[in-house]
Amino acid sequence: MATLGVNIDHIATIRQARGGREPDPIHAAVLAELAGARGITAHLREDRRHIQDRDVYILKQTVSTHLNLEMASAAEMIKIAVDVLPFMVTLVPEKREERTTEEGLAVRERERELVKTISTLRENHILVSLFVNPDIAEIRAAAKIGATHIELYTGTYSNAANASIASDELETLKACAMAAHKLGLVINAGHGLNYQNVSPVADIDNMGELNIGHSIVARASLVGMESAVREMVSLIS
């Protein structure tokens, strides 16, 4: 059965908009867990636009489910991850000009670099997930270089212009999940999932954690964090 991992980046985005201390993403993580989240995700970007180093260190001490640290495959980030020792690191592409992550890693183009990063993290007993496009060749490459998990990019499905396109994208996600499972990878998914489109993805065979942030934070601004998370947990389960 699929589970919910709550991405708290956008709580930090609200805080950073005023440069103050509120709202605190640590508080949001606690409320999300109390409401049924099975994991907490935070993306420490190189430009520190939302999550800060302080957040990551306190989350490691606070999160009672598991902490998934999203980051670029960069020396600075690897050093922090080895110091913090999150449950899992998800390696993602990162561009300064983007508003949010726009696509999966180009795994096949970066195998030599990524295999070194994965090796370092796994030597420190950190599980490693690669955020990948729903492309079977990319999934095979992820397995080849030592990833333990993949996170399927669901942005194309989530942003589909009509139901027919969404249906086609869902079939692609199903095929990729099946291929990943056969390769021994744990399958997660995320990006753009919301209260209207999450259930079909949650129903995919062997689906693990669905990482959802913006939609939950947007809903939480109206009904509160605990209610927003409970609603999403209900839809997933």
Side-chain angles (χ1 to χ4, degrees), residues 216-225 227-228:
I216 289 175
V217 173
R219 181 70 174 153
S221 71
L222 302 177
V223 302
M225 193 71 181
S227 292

Side-chain angles (χ1 to χ4, degrees), residues 127-143:
L127 299 176
V128 182
S129 178
L130 299 186
F131 187 68
V132 297
N133 291 323
D135 179 320
I136 291 175
E138 292 288 275
I139 293 167
R140 288 182 181 138

